Amino acid sequence: MAYHPWIIVSGILGNILSFMVYLAPLPTFLRVYRKKSTEGFQSIPYVVALVSAVLWIYYATLKSNAFLLMTINSFGCFVETIYTVVFIIYAPKKARILTMKLLLLFNFGGLLLILLLTHFFSKGPSRIHIVGWFCVVSSAGVFAAPLSIMRLVVRTKSVEFMPFALSFFLTLSAIMWLIYGVLLKDFYISLPNIIGVVLGMIQMVLFVVYKKYKNIENEQKQLPVQVANGKNLAPIKASNNTDSSLQVSGDVGVGRDENPHDHPLQHSHKSMESTNQAESGECAV
């Protein structure tokens, strides 16, 4: 069967971009390996991505001339397996047990059940449709994984945990596979990538909005301090430390006794006493 040239082009570009996306978590797992700890990372995205890759391989075996779909998902299956194994090795006991349960539930039990049901209870086009819908659901789960990160960005007004490059390549990859599915007239390839394009665009918009917000905050922090008559007029700010002492800029006098006859050492002694009480958890009144 002869394909339109753009089908081949979009499929190859989709493979290249997806290859880059699959390798995106590599620095994270290198850090996990060096520190011998998963540091609070979760295994759910990698388990779901592994299920999705295996399902797409199964779908590709049912379709004719689905070589480009087979190649990238075979690579994805290999990479996600490595990520999951590394996670299990270095995760705490509770997270390790949860990951093993998820693997048994989805990657073994779920996939085996789908394979048996579609093999013995469906034939021909109906089998393709059933497996196709399972692929759509699993891909939607993969694309929905960044939703928690997006919520974190909105709550913290920080894009620290949402790298723009990853969002950009995820969106490009979804666009290429969407074009591939549309040209191939394959609804099951097109649908989840529509979701991927929409979520990718939202991530990039959030990045632009909150990156700008961060820049405005930085500019406000760097505003020049007003000085009058040799005194710093910047507002008094509480220290970030746990003690209750105040940091005062300039030569503004705080809490100074009006009696000029008191010896300075008395004030010094009182100040040290107050600081020691704050450090010991007591409240100096």
Side-chain angles (χ1 to χ4, degrees):
M1 179 180 178
Y3 282 139
H4 191 282
W6 278 107
I7 295 178
I8 306 298
V9 171
S10 59
I12 292 174
L13 288 175
N15 269 257
I16 294 171
L17 292 167
S18 296
F19 178 84
M20 297 173 70
V21 171
Y22 275 127
L23 291 180
L26 187 58
T28 297
F29 280 92
L30 287 175
R31 187 171 70 182
V32 168
Y33 173 75
R34 286 194 300 267
K35 294 190 174 182
K36 313 299 182 187
S37 171
T38 55
E39 299 182 318
F41 290 108
Q42 294 184 347
S43 62
I44 294 175
Y46 310 105
V47 173
V48 174
L50 180 58
V51 172
S52 180
V54 174
L55 281 172
W56 280 113
I57 291 173
Y58 182 31
Y59 181 77
T61 60
L62 301 176
K63 299 277 290 186
S64 58
N65 300 320
F67 176 74
L68 292 173
L69 203 61
M70 178 76 75
T71 52
I72 188 58
N73 284 289
S74 298
F75 176 75
C77 186
F78 173 73
V79 170
E80 297 297 340
T81 300
I82 292 176
Y83 291 158
T84 306
V85 169
V86 171
F87 186 92
I88 290 172
I89 292 173
Y90 295 111
K93 184 178 179 181
K94 187 177 180 180
R96 187 185 303 123
I97 293 173
L98 176 61
T99 304
M100 294 297 292
K101 288 180 179 178
L102 291 173
L103 285 172
L104 288 172
L105 179 62
F106 294 109
N107 296 69
F108 295 102
L111 290 173
L112 182 61
L113 183 62
I114 292 170
L115 181 63
L116 292 174
L117 288 175
T118 54
H119 183 76
F120 291 107
F121 298 100
S122 61
K123 295 180 181 179
S126 62
R127 181 181 300 168
I128 294 176
H129 294 321
I130 294 171
V131 177
W133 276 113
F134 277 116
C135 289
V136 169
V137 172
S138 65
S139 294
V142 172
F143 283 125
L147 287 176
S148 59
I149 302 298
M150 292 162 65
R151 186 170 63 249
L152 181 66
V153 168
V154 173
R155 190 172 70 247
T156 62
K157 294 181 173 60
S158 171
V159 293
E160 180 182 0
F161 300 102
M162 191 177 69
F164 181 80
L166 180 58
S167 301
F168 179 71
F169 284 116
L170 273 170
T171 306
L172 281 183
S173 174
I175 290 172
M176 287 299 106
W177 286 113
L178 175 59
I179 294 172
Y180 179 82
V182 169
L183 294 176
L184 203 60
K185 297 179 180 178
D186 192 318
F187 171 79
Y188 303 109
I189 296 176
S190 302
L191 181 58
N193 285 289
I194 293 174
I195 300 172
V197 171
V198 172
L199 291 177
M201 292 292 187
I202 293 173
Q203 286 182 56
M204 288 193 289
V205 169
L206 286 176
F207 186 92
V208 172
V209 170
Y210 288 107
K211 181 69 173 178
K212 183 178 179 181
Y213 183 92
K214 185 177 181 181
N215 289 336
I216 292 173
E217 278 191 335
N218 290 337
E219 288 175 4
Q220 289 176 345
K221 289 178 182 178
Q222 294 172 2
L223 285 175
V225 178
Q226 297 179 358
V227 177
N229 298 327
K231 295 183 182 292
N232 190 342
L233 301 183
I236 299 172
K237 293 183 179 180
S239 171
N240 290 330
N241 297 327
T242 55
D243 60 75
S244 60
S245 59
L246 292 177
Q247 293 180 341
V248 184
S249 54
D251 55 353
V252 180
V254 178
R256 181 173 295 170
D257 198 336
E258 295 299 328
N259 187 354
H261 300 290
D262 285 349
H263 197 279
L265 288 177
Q266 292 178 357
H267 296 289
S268 175
H269 178 71
K270 289 178 182 178
S271 176
M272 291 178 62
E273 205 172 44
S274 174
T275 303
N276 291 333
Q277 287 177 348
E279 288 179 352
S280 64
E282 297 176 5
C283 180
V285 181

